[in-house]
Amino acid sequence: MLVLARKVGQQIVIGDQIEVTVLEVRGEQVRLGINAPRSIAVHRKELLEQVARENVRAAGVDRESLNAAAESVERPDSEDGSARSS
Amino acid sequence: MNLVTRFGEIEIEEKSCIQLKDGLVGLPQAKRFCLLSHREDSPFLWLQCLDEPALSLAVINPMDFFNDYEFDLQDADVEALGLTSAEDAVVLTTVTVDEEGRVTTNLLGPIVVNRRTLAAKQVVLSSENYSPRHLLFQLKPKPEGAAKEAGTRAA
């Protein structure tokens, strides 16, 4: 991993098109400004990890669980029925 | 083509496949999917992968549950999907059921499908308003232990 020390207001450039600016440092938090072409997705990594985890969990749903869930939806009058709006 | 899924062997029309050029988040190799209905009167669907036949994700159309679910699609994603109007976009979100019977859906990472071209992409929203485990509803606890006991006695 390349490690660079930067001060507030300083930048790093990645390739020809991506600029990262250190905007603010406050305690343990760093605010970064990122200039990148729209075709380049910029994400907080933990959000990507959460979505990846949900994909794996959704692939682990078995048919019986989904049957039980569908029955709950079909009986929306039940106490714990769904919030399904028709 | 015939596909041996975790629900058994099924026949699939490849031309009705959804194509995710980048795959799913965390599963980049999973690019081609078809939608299988769960069963009659069920709002759930299976997003069945063709590249990995054992992979099928439980999904819903979140609009069936939430009238007010909306998000802005980045220009790059609109372009990648070839979308020319919002009406052409179909949205799916994955569903999970945990041990406590909580049925949740991932509103943070919707899968957007262009209904005309079937090009699709899973996007990660930057909105903090949407949760990856938004509660749809809670299942009632199953009297599983009791049923099993009765079964044993009957046998």
Side-chain angles (χ1 to χ4, degrees):
Chain A
M1 184 189 286
L2 171 66
V3 180
L4 300 169
R6 302 274 66 195
K7 291 178 177 165
V8 170
Q10 292 185 325
Q11 296 177 304
I12 61 167
V13 180
I14 302 170
D16 296 330
Q17 298 182 298
I18 303 170
E19 278 184 5
V20 182
T21 309
V22 180
L23 298 175
E24 185 186 5
V25 180
R26 193 189 294 166
E28 291 199 331
Q29 199 165 30
V30 180
R31 275 162 53 82
L32 301 173
I34 296 153
N35 266 323
R38 286 176 170 181
S39 58
I40 293 188
V42 179
H43 292 296
R44 292 174 180 86
K45 185 168 179 182
E46 64 273 21
L47 296 190
L48 282 178
E49 289 170 342
Q50 282 175 357
V51 170
R53 200 177 307 134
E54 292 312 303
N55 284 342
V56 171
R57 292 180 73 228
V61 173
D62 59 40
R63 204 192 321 222
E64 288 70 34
S65 301
L66 208 62
N67 286 345
E71 279 155 23
S72 283
V73 179
E74 285 156 19
R75 292 183 280 102
D77 52 333
S78 71
E79 200 181 313
D80 296 321
S82 82
R84 190 184 185 196
S85 51
S86 49
Chain B
M1 76 182 273
N2 280 353
L3 206 64
V4 182
T5 71
R6 61 185 172 113
F7 313 115
E9 189 167 351
I10 55 168
E11 202 181 326
I12 284 172
E13 273 197 61
E14 276 174 89
K15 66 172 196 276
S16 63
C17 275
I18 294 168
Q19 306 269 355
L20 286 95
K21 190 164 67 70
D22 304 324
L24 289 173
V25 174
L27 300 164
Q29 71 286 4
K31 296 178 193 295
R32 295 181 303 154
F33 289 86
C34 61
L35 273 175
L36 307 177
S37 59
H38 167 229
R39 62 183 208 190
E40 217 173 300
D41 292 331
S42 169
F44 301 104
L45 299 158
W46 292 109
L47 189 60
Q48 172 64 51
C49 185
L50 275 68
D51 302 299
E52 290 186 35
L55 183 69
S56 44
L57 294 84
V59 296
I60 53 167
N61 179 339
M63 307 308 175
D64 285 348
F65 289 83
F66 312 105
N67 288 326
D68 56 349
Y69 180 54
E70 58 179 25
F71 53 85
D72 284 324
L73 211 49
Q74 306 262 328
D75 293 350
D77 295 331
V78 173
E79 261 171 56
L81 291 171
L83 283 169
T84 50
S85 101
E87 284 77 54
D88 289 343
V90 179
V91 178
L92 301 168
T93 54
T94 61
V95 170
T96 66
V97 185
D98 72 9
E99 291 83 7
E100 279 83 45
R102 277 188 295 265
V103 183
T104 64
T105 193
N106 179 2
L107 296 183
L108 186 70
I111 298 158
V112 184
V113 184
N114 181 334
R115 79 167 90 224
R116 292 186 188 278
T117 64
L118 300 182
K121 185 178 168 82
Q122 186 169 34
V123 299
V124 178
L125 305 182
S126 52
S127 167
E128 283 166 19
N129 301 329
Y130 290 125
S131 160
R133 292 191 190 170
H134 189 101
L135 186 68
L136 289 176
F137 49 85
Q138 170 86 47
L139 295 181
K140 282 188 176 155
K142 269 190 286 186
E144 201 175 298
K148 261 185 198 158
E149 237 172 71
T152 314
R153 265 184 220 142

